[in-house]
Amino acid sequence: MIELASNLFIAILGLAGGLAVGSGLVALLIVFDLIPRLAQLARAFRMSIWFETAIVSGSLYWTFADFMDWRLNLPYVSLISVSGLFDGIFVGMLAAALTEVMNVLPILAKRMKLSRFIASLVMAMVLGKTLGSLFDWLVFQW
């Protein structure tokens, strides 16, 4: 009975984490109008469905690659360097985008009429991140 409750808790926790991360990705894409801007820069408005498909396909591929522990063996240093370059570009762009995402909280609080609870919302996010990190480092990593 305890094992069933433990597995159910882990399943709910995993679902909640996935929903949080997925919501963050969708919010990032919507707030920055990433796909329309990409289509505008590429002058390919008619092909925006391809950009959307690429983002969804990439997300699904890397989710399966992570869950199924797929490995990508790159034999040459030049291929690894290119992969590292793309990873660095992605992380840098994501970090730059996340600095602007901080404007999402006041907008969300205003639209949901929670402006007077903005400090509580921020504290809940900070405490959740801190407790989640501590739990991961102290329980799962040991």
Side-chain angles (χ1 to χ4, degrees), residues 72 74 78-88:
L72 182 63
L74 298 176
S78 61
L79 290 176
I80 295 173
S81 300
V82 170
S83 175
L85 177 67
F86 285 135
D87 287 346

Side-chain angles (χ1 to χ4, degrees), residues 120-133:
S120 299
L121 289 172
V122 172
M123 285 305 296
M125 289 173 52
V126 168
L127 289 175
K129 181 69 174 172
T130 303
L131 291 175
S133 296

Side-chain angles (χ1 to χ4, degrees), residues 56-107:
V56 171
S57 299
S59 297
L60 286 173
Y61 174 81
W62 289 110
T63 298
F64 283 117
D66 185 34
F67 283 149
M68 296 181 184
D69 203 26
W70 293 345
R71 299 285 179 209
L72 182 63
N73 295 323
L74 298 176
Y76 303 108
V77 175
S78 61
L79 290 176
I80 295 173
S81 300
V82 170
S83 175
L85 177 67
F86 285 135
D87 287 346
I89 290 171
F90 173 75
V91 170
M93 291 176 68
L94 185 62
L98 288 177
T99 58
E100 294 182 26
V101 168
M102 296 310 292
N103 290 335
V104 170
L105 283 177
I107 294 170

